[in-house]
Every structure is written in structure tokens, then in C-alpha cells.
Amino acid sequence: MLISDSNKFIFVHIRKAAGSSIRDTLEPLSIKPAKKLASKVKSRLLKTEADYQKFAYRQHSDILKVKKLMPKAIFDAYFKFAFIRNPWKRLVSEYEFIKRTPSHGRFKKVNKMGFDEYIVYQSKRGDAHMVNMLCDKNGILQMDFIGRFENLQEDWNYICSKLNIENKQLTHRKRGDKIDYSQYFNQKNKDLVAKLWSKDIETFNYSYED
């Protein structure tokens, strides 16, 4: 989650959808992360920090977190955007990213899993579902614009124009070796992803072939 008062935007960072590359440009324009221990305790434990500028947002906080804290007039006025990705490919990308990153908090657990086991494990994590990150409890999108990883540079060009910021060519900072996603899937686990991520697939009109 990045919030900019100077450029009036809210960026929701969806995992494995080029968010780290986008952050490189947007972080200098954004509110600095809360560093005071009191703010972190209030935000993470007591959940009583009422100032949206002081709240210690997680990197992948959902849009409702800031909506609860930010005055309605400001929330409505700020440009809210995110980038999304094909659910089947996003699963493979994050699975392989965690397995090649020993410093990752879930490395030891995921490194012992086969891909099919990971699908089930990941489905139980709320922020693994894009609708949970971008919609309210009734499934209504709270965003002004949703870019697609599959159309990354063109959609990023639009964001830069909208925010009136310098348009820098995006670099895929956390990219691993090129992956043949089809090697991870058979009909059974393709259908499993379709079932477990049905809301994402229906809301954002994805299919395995995208």
C-alpha cells in the first residue's frame, strides 16, 4: 500500500503483478512508512491508530484498510489503482519466487510443498485473492483503475499520465528465469484453481488461456 498526499493517489500492491517495480517510482512520492513504535503497535496489535498518515500499512494492505482510516472526502478524491494478473500464472510466479528466496517468511514451509499442495495452501490466504484486496465486502470494486500485468507498460503509461509523473520504463525487478506455466498444470489442478479463485476469474474476466 502506498499513499501520496502530494500526488493524490492510493496504490494497492497485489503480489506478483509488477508491484515492486512500480513501487520504485511511486515510493518517493508517497507518505513515509510509520517508524514510531507506538504507531506500529497501534496499527498491528491494538488497531486503534486513527490517522491514515501514521498507520503502519503492510506492503499488501487491502483498499478497505485505508478506506476505514481516511476521511471520506479525501478517499473519494484520491486516484485509487492496482495491477492484477492471471490467477493461474500468478500462483506459479509466487510459488517459484518463494522457493528461490530463502529470506522469505514462508520459504521453509513452501519449499517442502508440491505445486498442487501450494494451490490449496495459498487459497486459504485472504490476500491471495484479488477481489479481497480491491473490493468491499459486497464484492463492489473500490478502485478507479485496474491495470493488467498482461498489458503492463501501456497501463503504466496511463497511470503516469493520470498522475502527471515522469514515465519511466518499468523493469521487472523480481523476475526469475522464464517459466513455462503449462508445465505446472494438468486438467485437474487447472480446474481446482478455477474453483478456488472463481471470484477473481469472474470479476476480472480471466481464463487459463489468457
Side-chain angles (χ1 to χ4, degrees), residues 43-89:
S43 302
R44 300 291 171 82
L45 300 178
L46 303 178
K47 299 183 179 180
T48 58
E49 180 60 77
D51 188 339
Y52 79 90
Q53 295 177 324
K54 295 179 181 179
F55 193 88
Y57 300 94
R58 296 182 184 275
Q59 183 174 347
H60 302 288
S61 287
D62 61 77
I63 189 63
L64 292 186
K65 176 61 68 178
V66 68
K67 185 176 184 179
K68 291 177 182 177
L69 297 172
M70 185 176 277
K72 185 178 185 303
I74 298 178
F75 181 83
D76 290 346
Y78 279 23
F79 183 68
K80 300 166 283 293
F81 69 98
F83 278 77
I84 60 174
R85 189 176 186 179
N86 179 296
W88 288 271
K89 292 186 176 182

Side-chain angles (χ1 to χ4, degrees), residues 8-21:
K8 295 181 171 51
F9 68 74
I10 301 170
F11 170 61
V12 178
H13 184 168
I14 301 292
R15 285 186 170 91
K16 306 312 296 177
S20 296
S21 300

Side-chain angles (χ1 to χ4, degrees), residues 21-33:
S21 300
I22 291 168
R23 291 180 74 94
D24 288 344
T25 296
L26 297 184
E27 277 187 327
L29 308 174
S30 303
I31 297 171
K32 303 305 178 187

Side-chain angles (χ1 to χ4, degrees), residues 32-187:
K32 303 305 178 187
K35 294 183 178 180
K36 291 185 178 180
L37 180 60
S39 290
K40 290 184 177 181
V41 170
K42 288 179 180 180
S43 302
R44 300 291 171 82
L45 300 178
L46 303 178
K47 299 183 179 180
T48 58
E49 180 60 77
D51 188 339
Y52 79 90
Q53 295 177 324
K54 295 179 181 179
F55 193 88
Y57 300 94
R58 296 182 184 275
Q59 183 174 347
H60 302 288
S61 287
D62 61 77
I63 189 63
L64 292 186
K65 176 61 68 178
V66 68
K67 185 176 184 179
K68 291 177 182 177
L69 297 172
M70 185 176 277
K72 185 178 185 303
I74 298 178
F75 181 83
D76 290 346
Y78 279 23
F79 183 68
K80 300 166 283 293
F81 69 98
F83 278 77
I84 60 174
R85 189 176 186 179
N86 179 296
W88 288 271
K89 292 186 176 182
R90 196 164 74 95
L91 278 165
V92 173
S93 181
E94 186 163 18
Y95 175 66
E96 288 298 337
F97 171 70
I98 294 173
K99 288 181 64 179
R100 69 174 183 267
T101 311
S103 60
H104 195 284
R106 290 183 283 145
F107 170 78
K108 290 184 179 179
K109 179 179 290 187
V110 172
N111 202 41
K112 298 176 182 177
M113 295 181 184
F115 182 61
D116 287 9
E117 183 181 0
Y118 175 76
I119 292 173
V120 176
Y121 160 77
Q122 189 72 349
S123 71
K124 299 175 182 177
R125 296 176 57 85
D127 62 2
H129 302 268
M130 296 180 289
V131 290
N132 293 344
M133 299 290 289
L134 307 177
C135 299
D136 65 14
K137 301 303 181 183
N138 296 315
I140 299 174
L141 284 169
Q142 302 295 295
M143 314 304 293
D144 297 308
F145 180 76
I146 297 177
R148 292 183 178 251
F149 183 90
E150 299 80 14
N151 195 37
L152 180 59
Q153 191 60 51
E154 184 175 341
D155 287 346
W156 174 243
N157 293 345
Y158 170 76
I159 293 294
C160 292
S161 175
K162 181 72 177 178
L163 300 179
N164 194 27
I165 61 176
E166 182 182 359
N167 189 341
K168 296 180 180 179
Q169 189 78 16
L170 288 177
T171 57
H172 199 166
R173 186 153 59 86
K174 292 185 177 180
R175 174 184 289 171
D177 295 334
K178 190 172 182 180
I179 298 172
D180 180 358
Y181 295 91
S182 65
Q183 294 182 357
Y184 292 78
F185 289 102
N186 52 46
Q187 193 59 52

